[in-house]
Amino acid sequence: MIRIADLKKVYRTDEVETIAVANANLRVDVGEFVAIMGPSGSGKTTLLTILGLLDSPTEGEYYFLGNDVSQYSEKQRTALRRRNIGFVFQNFNLINEMTVYENIELPLLYMGIGSSERKAMVTEMLEKMRMTTRRNHLPQQLSGGQQQRVAVARAVVGRQRLILADEPTGNLDSRNGDEVMNLLAQLNEGGATIIIVTHSTEYASWANRTVQLYDGHLVNENVTRGVEDVLELR
Amino acid sequence: MFWSYVKTIFRNISSSKVYFFINIAGLAIGFTVFTLIMLFVLNEFNYDTFNRKADRIYRVVETQKAPGTKAQQVAITMGALAPALASGFPEVEDAARYIPWSTVLCRYGDRQFYENGLSFADSSFFQIFTFHFIEGNESAAFDGPYSVVIDKSTARKYFGDADPIGRTLSIQAGLDQNTFQVSGVIQDFPRNSHLHFNMIASMNAVERHSRFFNGWGNNNAVTYVLLKNGYSPEELEKQFPALLRANLPADSWNALEMHLQPLRNIHLYSDQILYQVNYNKGDIDYVRLFVLIALFVIILACINFINLTTARSAIRSREVGIRKLLGSYHSHLVYQFIGESIALSLIGLLLSFPVVEALLPTFNSIMGGRIIIDYNNELSFLLMLILVATIVGLVAGFYPAIYLSSYHPVELLRGRFSSSRRGIILRKILIVLQFSVAIGLVTGTGIVVSQMDYVYSKPLGFDKNDLMYIPLHDAESRNKIGLLGDRLLGNPKILAVSAGERTGAGRTQGPVSVLGTNGRSRLLVRESYVDYGYEKTMGMQIVEGRSFSRNFPSDSASAIINETMRKILGWKDAIGKQIEMDNGRVFSVVGVVKDFNYSSLQHKIDPLVIWLDPGRCPYLLVRVAPQNMQSTIDFAGKTWDYVLPNHPFEYGFVNNHLDNLYGNERQTEHLLALFSTVAILIACLGLFGLTLHTTEQRTKEIGVRKVLGASVGSIVFMLSTESIRLVIIAGLVAWPTVYYLMSRWLQNFEYRTAISAWIFVLSGVVVFLVAMFTLSFQAIRAGLTNPVNALRYE
Ligand SMILES: Nc1ncnc2c1ncn2[C@@H]1O[C@H](COP(=O)(O)OP(=O)(O)OP(=O)(O)O)[C@@H](O)[C@H]1O
Ligand SMILES: [Mg+2]
């Protein structure tokens, strides 16, 4: 599903040039559950923004569903991202002025899905997340765990095939953390590809595979060049 | 999608009501001022446009270059001009003379009134300008020589419901015949016209009385010309020199030039014309000033919007980030934010309507009641406002939209949203701009006020206070000057009585011939006709010789001149010098009066000659004691009614009359005061919003500082220093600009105050204090809060 080759991301500010990710090679196949680990500042979030098509790499190749997207314009990346990728954040990032229902519905609006279908999809998702009774609440009225469940719902409601999560359990206690990890695991069983950044070795062990980042370098990752997934782009 | 968006807008509004209120209030105030000013401005530009042939109508303006005076323009021209133009030039479709008469006594049966709206005109006048005849018609209006066309209100006043046509009015205009026959009734002439009359009588009546009005030797009528379609005024103007040369003596025609002034320009572009008929005359400079102020006020409101929106953008940036993350394009967000700001601007406009409605009467009275709402144009005016509001929304929303929509969704992952530091420089510049305008307006107001103070209090050379005038409209009343004086002086509260001009001189100038040190010369002088005791009653000072006296029967051939005239002629000793009139009469100078200002202080003092001629005195002048004024007035009224039972009593006070000379300036004074208040209000609204925002942002910092031992005072200081610095910079920006502009305005006055530094300091201090007050409200509240509360919000 994803393959990056010799990927490099450099941040330039006035005085310093930070190499956040250096010569990274990684391959993630459809249906995998990958955990990324590494010390603070090692480039985990940076890698995730590139994988998530939020940012473009400074150098290197990035094949997403078989297409080299490293040179895509922002507009092209947006179009691709909106249908295929869902995000879950440490700090939830729900829109405070919108209800639970509206937050979950939002990506479907951008996908251009018709209203009755949309309603069905959101309702189904609310049930799945056991949030039906809270559909008209605003995010502030929910506990952290509940907010994160809404965020997960929003990430997958449009049947996105890749879920990227940056320390999704970071702001949660262990009970809520476990619950969110359970959800992700279920989604993975349902066919979604999941990449998660975490500091917890315990949660990392839920994944099929763990990759380590040190100072921008990926460790223990071998990628065979030249073989691409043959998957149709949505 | 759209509704999802609208929903968030409303939720955003309700979660930040104060900021929303500040934005909307600023915009509503801005649009209120803008609408009021635009009503005034459009009204000014609409003068005379109701005339269907407006584009082809011109007024003849003459430039006189008489020796001894500056070249001057007059729009009163020779009586023979209109007939000559009408008959001898193929370009001219029609031409008409128009003469506004002085106030006359008018009578029908037992109804009698003074009328100040009587004019005489040629019948072609009805063809040139647009009239709506209720009875009679344009072409037959002046079939008889003593015909008069009156307007509807006048007809009602004299005849009630009876049919006025054919009835005779007695009009005491001093002509051969007093009876005039009503030949037509017209709709009241629109008020947005430079012409103002309620009765137009046939020029014929005047011509029968005197050939004076038919000649080339005098300027006594306004000449209007209607050009044929397709002819340009320049073509006609080219032929004027030849026309003048053919009809005037050599020393006259080469000192004259004539040109055509378009009707549309008469109202606003006639400031340089000394003598003219121009009712409610406007001034393009004032119109420009007001447009400028309107723009300023709108810009101030836009600035609030930009500043508050960008300052508060952190609050919405998460929403922007998430929308982008989920697939919204950058450009869509830009459109959405601009759309939002246009919507807000339109709401502001909507809210301004009732305010405009409520303020219009007051505003109109400040503007001298000349705003006439033209309901035919209401829709286009409304559309113009909507267009302006849309543009305002676009302009104000553009930067915030670009700014807000530029949030990158990557920031969501990094959790950085306190980036309200961005754009802080711009915000500072805009605040400086706002306060520059506010300080500028306040300083400008201060200078206008101090000049007007100076104008009102400057000694004029005579005592304008406690001086009553009673108009003498005809020979009958002038014959009674002596008798009235004797009877009035019987009251100890009446200190002196004489007759003459109210302010020392009339509006007319005439040529005299004098022998100065540089030989014989012709001089244009101000004319003043007075009765005995004039200088004493007026409180003028004779600096050489004496005033007129009954002890010198020869005084009917004497003259008194002013110091300016003595100086121009270079006379060491003026007494006994000879002044020769055009008609050959010779007067000898018996006295010199100390210079006095007979007109507004915008004009310098011209050479002036005072003659003794009670028969030409326009006013009875009564110096009264300041105590118990009303009873003195009543006494004067009774005396008048006894001496002249057939003449209604009218009176006024000279100081009020003089104050009225400064109508435009007073308007400016009031409006500037009003608009500076509005400017300060809007700027402070913005400042209030920003301070509120900063304090909210810094709640935690303030809490920490207090825990560490900071005093309330030091917190207030910390929160205010920045704004104080900006207000001071604003002053530094505003003052030179204002100094320049106001020096220019003061050039309008021949006599003016020095621009003193304290006005600048004072206005700076005023704005500064208001700003401080606005700030401290928030800052003190923040300083006083218990730090524990502040820190709990983590
Ligand atoms: N916008 C940026 N400009 C400059 N440098 C940046 C930027 N974003 C990240 N960096 C730098 O890139 C490096 C990698 O940062 P990144 O956020 O990817 O690390 P991380 O592994 O996610 O750390 P953490 O575990 O603390 O979240 C860091 O040194 C960081 O300072
Ligand atoms: Mg990180």
Side-chain angles (χ1 to χ4, degrees):
Chain A
M1 170 165 229
I2 280 176
R3 187 173 71 80
I4 55 177
D6 299 331
L7 192 100
K8 192 173 175 186
K9 180 70 185 177
V10 182
Y11 289 113
R12 283 190 188 83
T13 50
D14 292 342
E15 312 100 57
V16 282
E17 193 169 276
T18 314
I19 302 174
V21 176
N23 303 320
N25 294 292
L26 176 71
R27 176 181 165 144
V28 179
D29 291 325
V30 174
E32 270 198 285
F33 188 161
V34 179
I36 301 175
M37 293 191 76
S40 185
S42 56
K44 305 181 293 294
T45 299
T46 307
L47 183 60
L48 217 57
T49 61
I50 294 169
L51 296 180
L53 295 169
L54 289 173
D55 212 348
S56 50
T58 315
E59 277 173 32
E61 294 158 32
Y62 175 19
Y63 293 91
F64 181 76
L65 297 174
N67 290 32
D68 186 358
V69 295
S70 55
Q71 303 302 322
Y72 269 28
S73 71
E74 181 165 345
K75 211 164 178 166
Q76 287 171 305
R77 280 189 272 123
T78 302
L80 206 53
R81 183 175 69 235
R82 102 167 31 139
R83 296 185 168 272
N84 297 292
I85 307 175
F87 288 87
V88 179
F89 306 91
Q90 180 175 1
N91 55 354
F92 323 133
N93 278 326
L94 300 172
I95 295 183
N96 291 330
E97 288 77 22
M98 288 182 165
T99 61
V100 167
Y101 184 95
E102 288 160 355
N103 266 293
I104 298 176
E105 184 190 28
L106 197 55
L108 302 180
L109 288 168
Y110 286 110
M111 288 178 182
I113 291 171
S115 80
S116 55
E117 195 184 346
R118 218 160 56 213
K119 197 169 170 193
M121 289 166 89
V122 177
T123 312
E124 184 199 326
M125 195 46 75
L126 281 166
E127 272 162 22
K128 212 160 160 187
M129 297 288 159
R130 289 170 287 113
M131 295 294 292
T132 311
T133 54
R134 308 242 172 217
R135 51 185 294 153
N136 290 323
H137 284 56
L138 291 173
Q140 289 104 313
Q141 298 166 306
L142 303 179
S143 74
Q146 288 166 331
Q147 288 192 46
Q148 198 61 304
R149 290 217 303 272
V150 175
V152 173
R154 183 181 67 186
V156 297
V157 67
R159 310 204 175 101
Q160 291 91 333
R161 286 187 277 183
L162 175 64
I163 310 294
L164 299 175
D166 195 356
E167 300 181 39
T169 57
N171 277 355
L172 302 176
D173 60 20
S174 59
R175 197 175 59 83
N176 280 309
D178 288 355
E179 193 176 359
V180 167
M181 287 306 289
N182 252 319
L183 263 174
L184 291 174
Q186 272 173 34
L187 290 167
N188 181 238
E189 275 159 30
T193 311
I194 294 179
I195 302 176
I196 172 177
V197 169
T198 179
H199 282 296
S200 147
T201 33
E202 195 209 318
Y203 289 140
S205 66
W206 291 50
N208 316 128
R209 180 156 70 102
T210 301
V211 294
Q212 294 282 342
L213 260 172
Y214 286 106
D215 240 356
H217 293 272
L218 275 170
V219 185
N220 300 335
E221 184 60 30
N222 298 308
V223 186
T224 33
R225 281 180 156 268
V227 183
E228 303 302 341
D229 308 296
V230 189
L231 275 173
E232 147 214 24
L233 280 183
R234 280 212 274 177
Chain B
M1 188 72 256
F2 178 73
W3 287 114
S4 143
Y5 196 75
V6 170
K7 247 185 295 187
T8 38
I9 291 178
F10 277 107
R11 295 204 186 128
N12 263 313
I13 289 172
S14 64
S15 70
S16 50
K17 287 189 200 72
V18 183
Y19 301 97
F20 175 74
F21 170 79
I22 290 171
N23 270 337
I24 282 286
L27 285 168
I29 294 171
F31 284 125
T32 303
V33 169
F34 182 82
T35 308
L36 286 174
I37 291 183
M38 280 334 269
L39 279 173
F40 165 72
V41 167
L42 290 183
N43 198 66
E44 289 295 284
F45 281 114
N46 264 335
Y47 262 68
D48 295 309
T49 50
F50 62 88
N51 287 292
R52 280 196 289 270
K53 300 168 188 166
D55 291 329
R56 292 191 284 136
I57 302 175
Y58 296 84
R59 175 170 84 167
V60 180
V61 176
E62 186 181 296
T63 308
Q64 305 172 336
K65 294 171 286 188
T69 52
K70 281 196 303 213
Q72 60 184 29
Q73 292 195 1
V74 299
I76 310 284
T77 38
M78 296 77 110
L81 185 60
L85 289 172
S87 58
F89 295 84
E91 299 90 338
V92 177
E93 183 172 314
D94 236 330
R97 286 169 294 178
Y98 174 84
I99 302 180
W101 214 248
S102 53
T103 304
V104 295
L105 189 60
C106 187
R107 190 180 299 132
Y108 177 75
D110 56 355
R111 299 188 191 185
Q112 63 168 6
F113 306 94
Y114 283 122
E115 292 294 346
N116 61 11
L118 171 68
S119 302
F120 289 88
D122 290 315
S123 61
S124 47
F125 187 67
F126 295 113
Q127 309 292 342
I128 297 176
F129 294 96
T130 302
F131 291 88
H132 297 285
F133 274 82
I134 301 170
E135 293 187 65
N137 62 60
E138 284 90 342
S139 40
F142 286 166
D143 281 352
Y146 290 92
S147 303
V148 64
V149 172
I150 60 178
D151 71 15
K152 203 168 140 191
S153 352
T154 310
R156 184 156 283 277
K157 189 163 80 173
Y158 286 95
F159 308 112
D161 291 330
D163 182 7
I165 296 295
R167 288 179 202 267
T168 53
L169 276 171
S170 153
I171 302 176
Q172 310 280 337
L175 300 177
D176 297 352
Q177 186 180 320
N178 289 337
T179 50
F180 283 76
Q181 197 162 49
V182 177
S183 59
V185 178
I186 50 170
Q187 292 285 13
D188 291 14
F189 209 55
R191 274 192 298 146
N192 53 354
S193 163
H194 83 286
L195 290 168
H196 178 64
F197 47 74
N198 60 349
M199 327 175 114
I200 309 168
S202 170
M203 197 68 197
N204 231 312
V206 177
E207 284 171 323
R208 284 173 178 233
H209 176 70
S210 162
R211 291 179 44 222
F212 180 75
F213 295 98
N214 270 337
W216 287 96
N218 277 290
N219 286 17
N220 45 40
V222 190
T223 306
Y224 293 105
V225 180
L226 176 66
L227 291 186
K228 280 189 191 143
N229 259 325
Y231 281 99
S232 79
E234 291 79 22
E235 289 170 53
L236 184 59
E237 280 172 340
K238 261 186 254 156
Q239 306 177 53
F240 282 159
L243 178 69
L244 291 174
R245 188 171 195 153
N247 291 293
L248 293 178
D251 62 339
S252 294
W253 62 256
N254 55 22
L256 288 185
E257 264 170 29
M258 290 198 307
H259 71 271
L260 295 172
Q261 182 184 31
L263 177 67
R264 284 176 187 281
N265 286 355
I266 292 179
H267 177 64
L268 285 176
Y269 298 88
S270 294
D271 219 34
Q272 73 292 355
I273 299 177
L274 202 57
Y275 297 120
Q276 63 182 320
V277 174
N278 203 340
Y279 176 70
N280 262 349
K281 180 164 76 71
D283 186 338
I284 189 68
D285 283 338
Y286 283 100
V287 172
R288 290 194 182 121
L289 177 71
F290 289 138
V291 170
L292 202 68
I293 290 176
L295 289 179
F296 271 151
V297 172
I298 292 269
I299 290 172
L300 292 189
C302 287
I303 289 179
N304 275 359
F305 183 86
I306 294 172
N307 276 353
L308 283 179
T309 315
T310 52
R312 308 250 329 139
S313 58
I315 311 235
R316 294 193 71 180
S317 55
R318 178 191 298 272
E319 180 196 330
V320 171
I322 294 170
R323 284 181 182 276
K324 280 190 166 181
L325 176 89
L326 298 179
S328 174
Y329 293 128
H330 184 107
S331 54
H332 287 177
L333 283 165
V334 174
Y335 300 148
Q336 278 164 345
F337 282 119
I338 288 180
E340 189 178 325
S341 102
I342 290 175
L344 207 69
S345 176
L346 289 172
I347 295 174
L349 178 67
L350 199 69
L351 289 179
S352 76
F353 288 155
V355 188
V356 168
E357 195 79 20
L359 291 183
L360 192 55
T362 318
F363 180 69
N364 202 3
S365 81
I366 296 178
M367 301 316 287
R370 62 211 238 179
I371 299 175
I372 299 149
I373 308 290
D374 181 356
Y375 289 96
N376 295 325
N377 288 331
E378 240 189 3
L379 186 67
S380 50
F381 188 70
L382 189 69
L383 288 177
M384 191 265 306
L385 288 178
I386 290 176
L387 183 73
V388 169
T390 310
I391 293 172
V392 164
L394 202 70
V395 170
F398 187 73
Y399 178 72
I402 297 289
Y403 181 85
L404 268 176
S405 54
S406 70
Y407 274 92
H408 201 274
V410 166
E411 312 276 319
L412 289 171
L413 283 142
R414 307 210 180 273
R416 278 195 299 254
F417 283 104
S418 57
S419 19
S420 63
R421 296 235 146 252
R422 281 170 64 197
I424 219 152
I425 301 281
L426 178 87
R427 213 135 64 223
K428 283 180 184 168
I429 292 173
L430 291 179
I431 292 174
V432 167
L433 195 70
Q434 268 190 325
F435 276 91
S436 304
V437 171
I439 293 174
L441 280 171
V442 174
T443 314
T445 311
I447 292 171
V448 172
V449 168
S450 85
Q451 170 65 17
M452 293 318 286
D453 250 20
Y454 170 80
V455 160
Y456 291 137
S457 62
K458 182 182 184 294
L460 298 176
F462 66 90
D463 185 2
K464 66 178 179 179
N465 297 311
D466 309 321
L467 187 57
M468 185 163 101
Y469 64 83
I470 303 169
L472 303 168
H473 292 299
D474 51 22
E476 197 185 341
S477 52
R478 287 182 200 122
N479 284 335
K480 298 280 165 52
I481 292 174
L483 183 58
L484 281 166
D486 288 347
R487 289 192 160 264
L488 286 170
L489 285 170
N491 185 330
K493 290 271 171 51
I494 293 181
L495 311 175
V497 180
S498 182
E501 292 286 352
R502 292 179 279 192
T503 59
R507 296 179 40 74
T508 57
Q509 283 180 300
V512 295
S513 171
V514 282
L515 197 61
T517 42
N518 312 322
R520 180 158 290 278
S521 59
R522 265 168 77 81
L523 197 62
L524 264 184
V525 298
R526 286 268 166 179
E527 302 166 326
S528 184
Y529 300 97
V530 306
D531 192 16
Y532 294 108
Y534 182 72
E535 294 83 4
K536 176 173 157 264
T537 308
M538 294 294 283
M540 292 170 179
Q541 214 182 319
I542 299 287
V543 292
E544 190 187 340
R546 59 173 179 85
S547 69
F548 301 124
S549 160
R550 289 194 171 83
N551 301 332
F552 295 86
S554 62
D555 267 359
S556 57
S558 300
I560 295 171
I561 62 170
N562 69 354
E563 289 175 306
T564 302
M565 176 140 167
R566 180 174 66 176
K567 194 160 149 223
I568 285 177
L569 295 171
W571 287 338
K572 281 252 142 46
D573 177 12
I575 307 303
K577 293 284 193 311
Q578 308 265 294
I579 297 175
E580 194 183 329
M581 304 288 282
D582 264 7
N583 59 15
R585 288 188 63 187
V586 178
F587 296 81
S588 67
V589 176
V590 296
V592 177
V593 65
K594 187 173 161 42
D595 272 344
F596 57 85
N597 288 98
Y598 46 79
S599 167
S600 87
L601 295 188
Q602 287 161 328
H603 305 290
K604 67 174 186 14
I605 297 172
D606 285 330
L608 169 132
V609 179
I610 302 175
W611 285 280
L612 180 67
D613 189 349
R616 295 179 73 169
C617 289
Y619 297 97
L620 189 71
L621 295 154
V622 184
R623 164 110 15 231
V624 298
Q627 305 84 16
N628 243 332
M629 207 81 103
Q630 192 51 51
S631 76
T632 316
I633 294 169
D634 292 344
F635 173 80
K638 279 202 199 91
T639 310
W640 175 275
D641 288 342
Y642 178 78
V643 175
L644 288 157
N646 279 331
H647 290 63
F649 174 66
E650 289 180 315
Y651 74 96
F653 280 89
V654 170
N655 55 350
N656 294 341
H657 166 71
L658 283 171
D659 289 354
N660 287 339
L661 296 178
Y662 303 102
N664 267 346
E665 288 71 22
R666 252 198 326 207
Q667 252 172 41
T668 317
E669 190 183 356
H670 287 150
L671 290 177
L672 271 180
L674 191 74
F675 297 144
S676 357
T677 317
V678 169
I680 296 181
L681 189 71
I682 296 182
C684 283
L685 265 178
L687 194 62
F688 180 84
L690 281 178
T691 324
L692 185 67
H693 170 74
T694 342
T695 349
E696 266 176 16
Q697 293 277 297
R698 295 170 80 170
T699 315
K700 188 177 156 201
E701 178 194 344
I702 294 166
V704 172
R705 281 175 190 270
K706 284 195 78 177
V707 169
L708 297 178
S711 67
V712 177
S714 72
I715 300 280
V716 173
F717 183 75
M718 175 190 90
L719 288 171
S720 331
T721 34
E722 181 58 32
S723 307
I724 292 170
R725 233 179 50 210
L726 295 182
V727 172
I728 291 173
I729 296 174
L732 297 179
V733 172
W735 286 327
T737 324
V738 172
Y739 183 84
Y740 169 75
L741 289 177
M742 292 317 289
S743 313
R744 266 191 55 183
W745 179 77
L746 283 174
Q747 298 298 320
N748 287 333
F749 289 85
E750 201 66 42
Y751 304 88
R752 48 184 179 261
T753 46
I755 298 182
S756 59
W758 68 263
I759 294 179
F760 288 83
V761 176
L762 191 72
S763 55
V765 168
V766 166
V767 175
F768 181 78
L769 287 180
V770 176
M772 265 316 286
F773 176 78
T774 314
L775 280 173
S776 55
F777 186 72
Q778 288 304 324
I780 291 172
R781 210 179 67 170
L784 287 175
T785 43
N786 187 339
V788 177
N789 292 339
L791 293 177
R792 210 169 267 155
Y793 286 111
E794 264 260 27

